[in-house]
Amino acid sequence: MLDGQYGEQRLPPLDTLAARLEYLFEKIRPTPEELGEAEEPGRCYTNREIADKINTVAAETGVTISAAYVGELRRGVARDPRMSHILALARAFGVHSGYFVDDAAARRVEEQIALLTELRRMDVRQVALRQVLTDAGLSPTDTQLVEQMVARLRAVADQGDPGPTGPADGGRDQWC
C-alpha cells in the first residue's frame, strides 16, 4: 500500500509490539555521531546498539536490557515487556512512548518518520513545496505535476537556456 502524501511504501499493519519495534529498526538509522569512521552510513541499528543506548543511561533511568531480549521483542518471542522497557526503547529510538501501545500515536510516529525519510531523500525545498500544495487542497497527482514542472524549470535555468524564442523552433512546443 502506498502512502498518498509521501509516496512511501508502508509496512503491513503495525498491530503487535514486535511489528512496531521492527518498523523502527527498519526505518530509523544510527546518526553519523553514533557510527565509527569505518562503519557504513545508512545501515540499520543492531540489537546490541539499541541495548547499549538503553544501558548507557541506566544510571539515570534505572533500566537495563540485553541485546538478546531486544531480539526476542523484535521476533515476538517476548510479548509482555515491562513498561520501563517500553519507555527505554522509545527513548532509544527517539519516538513517543505511546507509539508501542496507542494506534493513533503509532500512526503519528509513522507519518513523522515518513516525512523525515522524505526530507533526507529529497531537497528540503521540494518537500516544503509539496506541503504548501497539499495544504492548498491540490490532489497528490496535481501536486506531483507541479513538482515536475518546477523541476523542469530549475533544470532549464541551470543550463542557462532562455526558453522558447518563437518561430525559430518551427512552431513546435520546445517542452514536448
Side-chain angles (χ1 to χ4, degrees):
M1 171 193 298
L2 286 178
D3 175 0
Q5 188 171 0
Y6 301 111
E8 178 98 357
Q9 190 76 16
R10 286 192 180 228
L11 294 175
L14 303 178
D15 55 356
T16 66
L17 175 87
R20 290 179 185 194
L21 186 57
E22 189 61 27
Y23 178 82
L24 295 178
F25 270 96
E26 289 181 12
K27 294 295 182 179
I28 298 179
R29 303 290 187 246
T31 64
E33 295 80 29
E34 293 173 317
L35 293 172
E37 287 183 24
E39 293 186 86
E40 178 184 341
R43 68 166 176 78
C44 297
Y45 277 108
T46 65
N47 295 343
R48 166 64 45 213
E49 288 170 326
I50 293 300
D52 287 348
K53 282 182 81 166
I54 292 169
N55 295 334
T56 299
V57 294
E60 179 183 325
T61 64
V63 179
T64 60
I65 196 168
S66 71
Y69 186 59
V70 172
E72 290 173 3
L73 290 170
R74 283 179 78 179
R75 292 188 313 273
V77 173
R79 296 178 188 209
D80 193 19
R82 295 185 324 206
M83 186 54 129
S84 60
H85 285 143
I86 297 285
L87 295 170
L89 286 165
R91 182 176 180 172
F93 280 105
V95 299
H96 188 277
S97 58
Y99 169 78
F100 289 108
V101 294
D102 178 36
D103 290 342
R107 279 191 302 279
R108 283 191 304 273
V109 167
E110 186 179 345
E111 289 169 1
Q112 291 167 351
I113 290 171
L115 178 59
L116 288 173
T117 301
E118 190 77 0
L119 286 169
R120 286 186 193 113
R121 191 179 71 73
M122 300 171 61
D123 182 358
V124 175
R125 290 176 296 184
Q126 186 174 357
V127 174
L129 172 63
R130 179 176 292 162
Q131 190 61 49
V132 168
L133 296 173
T134 300
D135 291 348
L138 268 67
S139 71
T141 303
D142 291 341
T143 298
Q144 185 177 17
L145 181 61
V146 171
E147 288 176 3
Q148 290 170 349
M149 290 177 0
V150 169
R152 176 68 177 137
L153 288 171
R154 281 185 185 154
V156 168
D158 289 345
Q159 294 171 357
D161 187 344
T165 58
D169 65 355
R172 290 183 304 235
D173 188 332
Q174 182 177 353
W175 301 100
C176 293

